[in-house]
Amino acid sequence: MATLRRSLLRLRQTLMLSDPRSPVSLRSHVGSISRFYSGHGSVDVDLSDEESKRRLHNRLLYRSRQRGFLELDLVLGAWVEENIRAMDQLHIRALMDVLDLENPDLWKWLTGQEQPTEAVKINPVFCAIQSKVMSNLNSHAAPETRANPGQPWIRGWDDKKGVGGGPKYGNQ
């Protein structure tokens, strides 16, 4: 999805540069795909009536559950489902910004493996989600099972192959 967004942005820039006199709407060229890109204010957050609000909530809930990164699908989907109804326009835009982040970076930032950028650190939705994730980690996982802050958690499945009596092949 992120690759598609970058391609659409490049297309938009190319179209804008080809004829700077005419304003080109990305939405007119790519249809509904542009609704999923929220950077630079391209999506209108319409909470004026119940139908618009329902559509927006459903779209954001779908985006939070269908990222293609199982851990984020579960964490973001549950958090958005719990909180979307109480969010105002400012928080919905903040959620859109979080949903526009790349999966590997977002996961590392939410779990404390890496420090997020300043723009992400001040996002109220990111802070709330990170607080929930860290609370769950502290409640359900012993600190010694996790890597030190700033270090990746994932080790290779055969890190100990052939070392200290470990298996010679695979993860036996």
Side-chain angles (χ1 to χ4, degrees):
M1 189 65 166
T3 305
L4 177 62
R5 279 196 299 266
R6 282 192 294 271
S7 297
L8 291 173
L9 282 174
R10 275 189 243 124
L11 173 65
R12 180 181 182 185
Q13 290 170 344
T14 303
L15 292 172
M16 291 279 222
L17 292 174
S18 64
D19 187 7
R21 292 170 287 144
S22 66
V24 177
S25 167
L26 184 59
R27 181 172 283 141
S28 67
H29 289 282
V30 294
S32 63
I33 300 294
S34 67
R35 289 183 288 181
F36 291 116
Y37 179 72
S38 61
H40 308 295
S42 66
V43 172
D44 295 325
V45 176
D46 182 14
L47 301 175
S48 61
D49 61 30
E50 288 303 312
E51 182 61 19
S52 298
K53 192 183 298 188
R54 184 190 64 78
R55 285 182 182 167
L56 180 63
H57 289 179
N58 286 343
R59 187 177 310 128
L60 293 174
L61 187 56
Y62 179 83
R63 283 188 65 199
S64 68
R65 288 180 174 164
Q66 302 294 326
R67 297 185 61 90
F69 198 101
L70 180 60
E71 294 86 351
L72 284 174
D73 293 348
L74 297 172
V75 168
L76 290 176
W79 190 90
V80 170
E81 187 172 8
E82 288 175 15
N83 295 285
I84 188 77
R85 305 242 182 291
M87 296 173 88
D88 61 0
Q89 188 170 359
L90 176 71
H91 286 91
I92 286 178
R93 286 200 181 277
L95 173 61
M96 291 170 142
D97 290 340
V98 168
L99 293 175
D100 284 341
L101 296 171
E102 296 290 331
N103 287 342
D105 294 333
L106 181 57
W107 182 249
K108 289 175 185 175
W109 294 337
L110 286 174
T111 58
Q113 294 177 58
E114 291 181 4
Q115 289 299 313
T117 63
E118 281 303 313
V120 174
K121 276 185 192 178
I122 62 172
N123 183 310
V125 170
F126 173 82
C127 292
I129 297 169
Q130 185 185 38
S131 174
K132 173 88 175 189
V133 168
M134 294 308 292
S135 171
N136 285 340
L137 282 173
N138 292 332
S139 297
H140 301 292
E144 56 271 5
T145 63
R146 295 181 293 202
N148 294 328
Q151 300 297 316
W153 289 5
I154 302 170
R155 295 186 349 195
W157 62 276
D158 61 352
D159 283 352
K160 297 187 182 212
K161 183 167 55 175
V163 177
K168 292 182 181 178
Y169 305 102
N171 192 17
Q172 303 167 348

